[in-house]
Amino acid sequence: MAKRHQEHQRLSEVLKDFVTDNKLQGGLDKVAVRDVWEAVMGSAITKYTQNIKLERNTLFVQLSSSVLREELSYGKQKIITNLNERLGRDLIKKLVLR
């Protein structure tokens, strides 16, 4: 049996390569955005959140309360900044509240 020459890599590097090679980053971003929304906005707003969807740097959030939607619309840029800060990169460019 022949010995194989293997490089030693960190597990984080192997996982990063796997995600890149299989084009999984988009799906991971969608899951991360949902988690970050709940963490940043808190349970009071999360209970009125019906759907969260990330498409091409635009975050679509469906809310069950029109009053809350109106209130949040005044602070869209701050929400985007807080979400991106928590994500660790500028992933969200636009926020659409429905």
Side-chain angles (χ1 to χ4, degrees), residues 18-30:
F18 180 78
V19 167
T20 303
D21 293 345
N22 293 294
K23 299 177 177 134
L24 300 174
Q25 192 60 50
L28 292 173
D29 289 342
K30 290 176 182 182

Side-chain angles (χ1 to χ4, degrees), residues 32-88:
V33 165
R34 287 186 189 126
D35 294 340
V36 168
W37 175 266
E38 292 175 8
V40 169
M41 301 308 288
S43 62
I45 293 174
T46 301
K47 73 179 183 180
Y48 292 104
T49 303
Q50 293 181 324
N51 193 16
I52 300 171
K53 189 168 147 182
L54 180 67
E55 288 184 10
R56 296 189 195 113
N57 298 330
T58 301
L59 182 63
F60 296 93
V61 179
Q62 185 176 356
L63 300 166
S64 61
S65 169
S66 60
V67 175
L68 179 61
R69 183 173 44 250
E70 186 68 25
E71 286 293 319
L72 292 179
S73 69
Y74 295 119
K76 280 185 181 180
Q77 191 55 49
K78 183 167 175 75
I79 293 169
I80 292 170
T81 302
N82 289 341
L83 293 173
N84 282 332
E85 187 176 295
R86 189 71 172 256
L87 288 165

